Amino acid sequence: MKTAELADRFLRYFEKRDHTIVPSASLVTDDPALLFTVAGMVPFIPYLSGVVPAPFRRAADIQKCIRTNDIEEVGKTPRHGTFFQMLGNWSFGDYFKEGAITYAWELLTTSEADGGLGFDPKDLWVTVYKDDDEAARLWRTIAGLPEERIQRLDKDTNYWSTGLPGPAGPCSEIFFDQGPAYGIDGGPATDDDRYVEIWNLVFMQYAIDDVTSKYDFRIVGELPQKNIDTGMGLERIAFIKQGVQNMYETDQVRPVLDLASELSGRRYGADHGDDVRMRIIADHVRSSLMLLADGVTPSNEGRGYILRRLMRRGIRSMRLLGVDGPTFPELFAASRDAMKDAYPELGTEYSRLSAYAIAEEETFLRTLAAGTTTLDLSVAETKKSGGTTIAGSEAFLLHDTYGFPIDLTLEIAEEAGLTVDRAAFDTLMLEQRTRAKADARSRKRALADHGVYREFRAKGETVFTGYTDLETESTILGVLVDGVSVDRARTGEVAEVILADTALYAESGGQVADKGIIVGPGYELEVLDVQKPVAGLISHTVEVTSGEVGVGQPATSVVDAVNRRAARQAHSATHLVHAALRDTLGKSATQAGSLNRAGYMRLDFTWGQALSSETRTEIEEIANNAVRDNLEVTTRVVSLDEAKSLGAMALFGEKYGDTVRMVDIGGPWSRELCAGTHVVSSAEIGLVNLVGESSVGASNRRVEALVGLDAFRDLAAERAIVSQLTSTLKTPRDQLPARIAELTASLKAAEKRIAAFEARALTERIPALAANAETVGPHRVVAETIGAASSADDVRSLALGVRDRLGSEPGVVVIGAEVGGRPVVIVATNEAARTAGARAGALAKVAAATLGGGGGGRDDVAQGGGTDATSLPAALSAVKAALGSR
């Protein structure tokens, strides 16, 4: 049975039983404690916790998930995957344990001919929490399971909580017995791979607090509304029903594995190590494709870093299979073909998605080449010094700076007959992970605070009136100080204020929050920020500038009209620039992020190379022509399907409901889904002045523009500069570029003549410096400071000239100079000195230690530096002392 059919059977079963079928949420979650949707329940957290009233009593879904905490296990076990799909059925105060157990057992054991999944009851085991007598009784009566196939386990496996105060409850897991060929008898309690967990039923019935760990807490009492949260892994069900050995061999994953085998010439099943690598490739390519489809792009932080890591692990695995060249064009296309029936956007958006993947592979292949060169130098230096181990810090530098995988470092070192100080590397990695975990914990604390909004959200959604009104009368629903709900806030305090209605725009869709005030009888609040802490609720961060504000008081939100007008101009200008980009570059140039604030806009878009000045001018001209043409700006609230049928741009990574707000500028020319505020007609924008274009990733560019009065002021400032230049240089404006180029060429020629003069002057000092050589131990030593020098290269040339002048006896030259305000020391040794034990690199480090910096180099010539130029004489004395001690 194909994976898609299994998913369809699940949804049809629950749809017939009055469950609302909910589409999958994005892999990118709003939860501040998480980077990704790591479990099927994540999108339902607001409903399960009661912060947001559930819009349905019962639901079913197939949720896309990404989980990387077990990434090292991918490919090694039958069921660990970074991307997976979780089937779930949900009850919010409707059916509970009996209903959940009945539905699960019926769907699993009903024959395939009758629409079920066709499992033989004798192959199924269940576990329950050790004290959950009710669940055990229900499994006996509903499923007819014998007592020995109902195993009672402890909290570590059969109790669910978030690890935070809030809802919790026991769970019951269903396992499939693969048979004696796969392991020992004894049921799931043996924790043996023979028993595959396929479905987890969570009975969310208690409230907990005093949480010290995920399994150590105090049960406060029963929840007023008991919920059901279930999760069944689609990939696990698929590999069992398809009769294959693991999830990597299922129909949605196997095509990539087979292609990796073909491209590498390695047969799958012939070698365990190669098999693991092919599974990693199949999993990571699919996971990367799905992340790209949900708007994540490769970067060095956050979600983008995880995506980059997945891609690079895949590239590394291909390399370990013997393939050094690019393979992503073929591998990603194979994953698209395997997955597009379930996720059609993979087909329609593939050119955009593949551009990121191909660019990332090209970049990393260059990184591997650079890292290999660096590692080769490290190998050579280690061998030259007689060592057998590459320092852990070197391996960590390769990993952290170059993205060079540790496994590859180990492999290359082994080929060279060396080892790597893995313990030191692991220590540095642990320190880095500890910092990351501390950051994750801070995000989790932010999530815990969301429960305080529950009572306010339960009163309904905040009504936003700001599309039409700049002032709105309302009522204070809540006041929070330091995250705690209070009755009132007083003058000087910073607080959060919840209103029933507001004219103030909350930051979203790239548009920053409005500025303004909230006023009422006897008080005034300055609005510092406006956000949506949970779906449907708007919160105002305010400073109480006068009086005292309390719950239940009337309140009027007042928008700063001048700031709003400029913000509207900037947001509408963003739409114009986006449309102009697509007119100029083609439909593959799509928005990947934006920021709009009063007078300024920036737009990130998918494109792989810098824009020429001519292209920038063309984009700017198209946008300003649209301003000149005074295009009508219209907004409509329509269904998402209708908006898409009309060609509206839906931005990847954004989340949309069943109904959306569609903004047209000039009809279909610019048609986007957008909840921001906009001008009434394009002429109100005034002026768009592109002031910057830059790279923000391998396949992303960024344009920045000033808008309206800010654009005019910037052009006026440039006009003033041009006027000053024409006056100073006594040159007409149209001749300024040629005149400045002429002056620049003259300046460079003069600098070149000065440098040549200074170099000659230094060369002329060689005889005198050599004549001052003194005997230190077995060496003739010249140690002098020469004052200021133009460059370190000039000092190096002088030191080498003096060394050559010393002849064949052991000679060491140490020249100190001040270059650009910083001290530089060059050490040069001849062959006789090196034979006598003098090494330039070691001596440069001695000098650098005195200068407060670092140094090193080859045995014949090396450089040191630092920050304290006054220490140059002391640094030279330290080098002489080091020579004298030999």
Side-chain angles (χ1 to χ4, degrees):
M1 195 182 300
K2 298 290 188 183
T3 303
E5 183 183 349
L6 289 166
D8 184 59
R9 282 174 179 252
F10 178 88
L11 293 180
R12 281 192 284 114
Y13 174 86
F14 282 102
E15 186 175 30
K16 290 177 181 177
R17 286 152 183 83
D18 301 322
H19 287 65
T20 299
I21 303 304
V22 180
S24 174
S26 171
L27 288 168
V28 178
T29 175
D30 290 329
D31 190 328
L34 302 169
L35 288 176
F36 297 115
T37 301
V38 296
M41 55 85 65
V42 169
F44 294 96
I45 286 176
Y47 309 145
L48 295 169
S49 63
V51 173
V52 177
F56 25 64
R57 296 284 287 174
R58 49 176 71 183
D61 71 331
I62 303 174
Q63 176 59 49
K64 300 178 291 184
C65 302
I66 285 280
R67 192 180 296 170
T68 59
N69 55 329
D70 292 327
I71 193 170
E72 299 299 335
E73 297 302 313
V74 171
K76 299 175 183 177
T77 74
R79 53 187 182 271
H80 277 99
T82 47
F83 172 81
F84 58 97
Q85 300 159 90
M86 190 61 71
L87 308 171
N89 59 289
W90 312 83
S91 167
F92 305 99
D94 193 0
Y95 60 84
F96 197 49
K97 290 182 185 178
E98 182 176 359
I101 291 172
T102 299
Y103 289 143
W105 188 255
E106 183 177 86
L107 175 58
L108 287 172
T109 60
T110 297
S111 69
E112 292 183 12
D114 293 328
L117 298 182
F119 281 90
D120 190 330
K122 69 178 177 59
D123 293 330
L124 300 177
W125 291 64
V126 300
T127 62
V128 298
Y129 178 54
K130 63 180 182 179
D131 296 332
D132 194 351
D133 295 334
E134 181 186 8
R137 176 181 58 79
L138 288 168
W139 278 115
R140 288 194 300 269
T141 57
I142 293 170
L145 283 173
E147 191 69 42
E148 61 270 18
R149 294 226 310 275
I150 305 171
Q151 297 188 323
R152 295 175 181 253
L153 301 178
D154 212 334
K155 282 182 179 178
D156 58 339
T157 58
N158 279 73
Y159 211 97
W160 178 88
S161 80
T162 62
L164 298 168
C171 61
S172 180
E173 296 178 329
I174 308 171
F175 289 79
F176 174 74
D177 179 3
Q178 298 186 90
Y182 289 84
I184 62 174
D185 196 4
T190 63
D191 198 26
D192 192 83
D193 283 343
R194 168 174 169 173
Y195 301 93
V196 179
E197 179 199 336
I198 56 176
W199 207 338
N200 186 16
L201 314 179
V202 176
F203 310 128
M204 206 173 295
Q205 64 187 106
Y206 298 116
I208 62 171
D209 64 9
D210 293 342
V211 180
T212 58
S213 76
K214 201 166 183 179
Y215 312 113
D216 187 9
F217 46 77
R218 180 173 71 96
I219 295 177
V220 180
E222 296 225 340
L223 293 170
Q225 173 182 290
K226 297 177 183 178
N227 300 320
I228 287 294
D229 155 13
T230 84
M232 178 162 60
L234 179 55
E235 282 77 11
R236 293 191 184 187
I237 291 290
F239 90 71
I240 292 170
K241 294 301 294 180
Q242 291 174 19
V244 295
Q245 299 299 307
N246 52 63
M247 62 164 286
Y248 314 104
E249 298 174 13
T250 59
D251 61 300
Q252 288 187 343
V253 188
R254 181 68 188 247
V256 181
L257 187 153
D258 287 340
L259 182 56
S261 172
E262 179 184 334
L263 292 172
S264 66
R266 309 280 184 96
R267 183 173 65 82
Y268 182 66
D271 178 83
H272 175 70
D274 285 349
D275 289 353
V276 170
R277 291 168 189 134
M278 291 179 205
R279 293 172 196 152
I280 289 172
I281 293 160
D283 173 85
H284 287 7
V285 165
R286 183 172 78 141
S287 301
S288 299
L289 180 62
M290 299 306 297
L291 284 170
L292 286 166
D294 273 5
V296 183
T297 55
S299 71
N300 286 328
E301 59 186 13
R303 299 180 178 96
Y305 173 76
I306 298 297
L307 172 58
R308 173 161 284 167
R309 185 185 180 201
L310 291 171
M311 288 184 172
R312 292 186 169 190
R313 278 173 58 89
I315 297 166
R316 179 199 69 190
S317 295
M318 285 301 299
R319 186 186 187 281
L320 294 176
L321 290 174
V323 182
D324 294 330
T327 58
F328 274 9
E330 295 94 340
L331 293 173
F332 271 79
S335 188
R336 170 204 61 195
D337 293 342
M339 296 295 293
K340 67 182 180 181
D341 286 344
Y343 302 98
E345 65 270 20
L346 298 178
T348 56
E349 293 292 325
Y350 182 70
S351 61
R352 181 184 69 85
L353 308 181
S354 61
Y356 284 110
I358 292 168
E360 182 64 21
E361 183 179 40
E362 290 173 349
T363 300
F364 189 49
L365 289 175
R366 289 194 297 270
T367 294
L368 286 177
T372 300
T373 300
T374 303
L375 182 55
D376 286 345
L377 289 173
S378 183
V379 167
E381 289 180 5
T382 301
K383 284 187 169 183
K384 186 176 181 180
S385 66
T388 59
T389 302
I390 295 172
S393 57
E394 290 277 345
F396 182 76
L397 176 69
L398 283 163
H399 165 82
D400 198 47
T401 303
Y402 295 97
F404 204 76
I406 181 61
D407 289 355
L408 201 52
T409 301
L410 293 169
E411 176 193 343
I412 293 173
E414 184 179 0
E415 289 171 355
L418 302 175
T419 59
V420 176
D421 187 346
R422 185 62 189 263
F425 172 84
D426 289 341
T427 298
L428 292 167
M429 283 296 296
L430 179 62
E431 291 172 359
Q432 186 182 69
R433 286 171 182 155
T434 300
R435 290 191 295 270
K437 286 180 179 177
D439 179 58
R441 283 195 296 271
S442 70
R443 290 197 299 268
K444 185 169 284 190
R445 284 194 292 272
L447 173 67
D449 295 338
H450 281 197
V452 77
Y453 299 110
R454 183 184 295 112
E455 62 176 291
F456 309 123
R457 182 60 181 81
K459 296 175 183 178
E461 295 191 17
T462 309
V463 178
F464 175 62
T465 63
Y467 291 133
T468 56
D469 301 323
L470 294 179
E471 290 189 18
T472 292
E473 295 181 359
S474 187
T475 304
I476 302 286
L477 296 181
V479 178
L480 291 82
V481 175
D482 295 330
V484 177
S485 182
V486 297
D487 290 335
R488 60 194 62 252
R490 297 172 176 81
T491 301
E493 286 189 300
V494 173
E496 283 185 74
V497 170
I498 311 294
L499 304 179
D501 314 85
T502 183
L504 291 153
Y505 184 80
E507 179 179 359
S508 62
Q511 183 175 331
V512 302
D514 273 334
K515 295 180 179 179
I517 58 174
I518 298 173
V519 296
Y523 70 84
E524 180 172 315
L525 316 175
E526 179 187 356
V527 177
L528 306 177
D529 194 14
V530 191
Q531 294 290 334
K532 296 178 179 177
V534 297
L537 190 74
I538 296 177
S539 173
H540 311 75
T541 301
V542 301
E543 181 180 356
V544 184
T545 53
S546 66
E548 183 177 286
V549 60
V551 176
Q553 288 184 283
T556 301
S557 54
V558 182
V559 177
D560 181 329
V562 174
N563 182 78
R564 167 69 78 81
R565 184 183 306 115
R568 289 166 55 198
Q569 290 174 310
H571 201 152
S572 296
T574 304
H575 286 223
L576 296 189
V577 171
H578 190 197
L581 278 165
R582 290 168 66 79
D583 274 2
T584 306
L585 303 176
K587 301 307 180 185
S588 61
T590 56
Q591 181 176 330
S594 66
L595 174 67
N596 317 289
R597 62 171 182 262
Y600 169 86
M601 58 136 291
R602 79 173 187 225
L603 177 69
D604 296 347
F605 61 100
T606 55
W607 198 248
Q609 59 191 36
L611 304 184
S612 66
S613 58
E614 293 80 10
T615 300
R616 288 175 55 180
T617 298
E618 183 179 358
I619 292 166
E620 188 177 53
E621 186 172 336
I622 291 172
N624 282 295
N625 283 343
V627 173
R628 176 203 63 196
D629 293 342
N630 196 23
L631 303 175
E632 182 182 11
V633 179
T634 61
T635 61
R636 286 178 282 169
V637 176
V638 297
S639 70
L640 180 59
D641 289 341
E642 181 182 355
K644 289 181 176 179
S645 71
L646 292 170
M649 288 288 294
L651 305 180
F652 279 84
E654 292 292 325
K655 300 172 180 63
Y656 302 102
D658 294 333
T659 59
V660 292
R661 185 168 180 264
M662 187 171 70
V663 178
D664 288 0
I665 303 179
W669 179 68
S670 170
R671 176 170 286 165
E672 299 189 21
L673 305 185
C674 180
T677 61
H678 288 275
V679 297
V680 175
S681 65
S682 62
E684 291 182 41
I685 294 171
L687 183 65
V688 180
N689 175 18
L690 255 59
V691 294
E693 191 268 341
S694 58
S695 170
V696 287
S699 297
N700 271 7
R701 306 294 299 180
R702 171 175 292 170
V703 290
E704 298 175 88
L706 297 174
V707 181
L709 190 57
D710 287 76
F712 169 76
R713 287 171 178 155
D714 185 68
L715 292 173
E718 287 189 1
R719 182 177 61 189
I721 293 170
V722 171
S723 177
Q724 184 178 357
L725 287 171
T726 58
S727 175
T728 301
L729 300 178
K730 296 180 173 53
T731 303
R733 184 176 67 176
D734 59 346
Q735 297 177 20
L736 274 178
R739 178 60 176 149
I740 291 172
E742 178 187 331
L743 290 173
T744 301
S746 297
L747 179 60
K748 287 181 178 178
E751 290 174 343
K752 189 174 181 180
R753 288 194 297 273
I754 292 170
F757 173 78
E758 291 178 344
R760 283 196 303 272
L762 286 176
T763 301
E764 290 169 359
R765 296 183 64 176
I766 290 175
L769 288 169
N772 288 337
E774 56 185 305
T775 300
V776 178
H779 308 287
R780 295 288 290 164
V781 178
V782 175
E784 299 281 351
T785 59
I786 62 170
S790 297
S791 69
D793 286 342
D794 287 346
V795 184
R796 182 183 296 263
S797 297
L798 177 62
L800 293 174
V802 175
R803 182 191 67 180
D804 294 343
R805 190 87 173 186
L806 293 179
S808 60
E809 59 183 315
V812 178
V813 179
V814 188
I815 304 295
E818 190 174 335
V819 178
R822 299 176 69 89
V824 170
V825 172
I826 301 295
V827 182
T829 61
N830 62 18
E831 185 176 352
R834 294 192 293 275
T835 301
R839 300 282 186 268
L843 295 172
K845 290 180 180 178
V846 171
T850 303
L851 297 173
R858 302 195 309 266
D859 290 345
D860 59 335
V861 61
Q863 178 176 325
T867 57
D868 183 8
T870 63
S871 298
L872 276 169
L876 270 58
S877 296
V879 173
K880 288 195 290 184
L883 286 167
S885 66
R886 293 178 184 276

